[in-house]
Amino acid sequence: MTKLFIDDERFPVTDDWVIVRSSKQAIAWVQTYGIPTHISFDHDLGGDDTSRVFIQWLTDQLIDEKLKFPPNFSFTVHSQNPIGARWIQGTMDGLVKNFG
């Protein structure tokens, strides 16, 4: 099981995560290794960067059938930005429902 932790500052509670600090790093990681079995999202990634950039890229990849969710894919949102967290939750719920 591969777990991707997208956050510009924080660290996961356990050490079994791959940590990326920007949407660019998240995209590069998924381009190299594919979609992990679990992703934990922060919304705000420093400056103007957010996880929305990664999720919009992921959406395009799923629509174009360049990527597929692995079996039993799951995600969590650990962002402290309530509006951003709701956007991630809703958008990812829709992606999993339609492409999972």
Side-chain angles (χ1 to χ4, degrees), residues 77 81-91:
V77 182
N81 175 332
I83 294 170
R86 281 194 299 273
W87 186 89
I88 292 170
Q89 186 71 49
T91 303

Side-chain angles (χ1 to χ4, degrees), residues 11-56:
F11 291 88
V13 177
T14 60
D15 62 358
D16 57 342
W17 294 83
V18 173
I19 301 169
V20 293
R21 299 296 187 192
S22 68
S23 59
K24 183 178 179 178
Q25 286 181 351
I27 290 167
W29 193 91
V30 171
Q31 285 175 323
T32 302
Y33 300 104
I35 300 173
T37 53
H38 185 83
I39 302 175
S40 186
F41 291 95
D42 183 22
H43 181 270
D44 303 312
L45 301 176
D48 293 332
D49 193 16
T50 69
S51 284
R52 290 177 188 238
V53 173
F54 170 74
I55 293 170
Q56 289 167 338

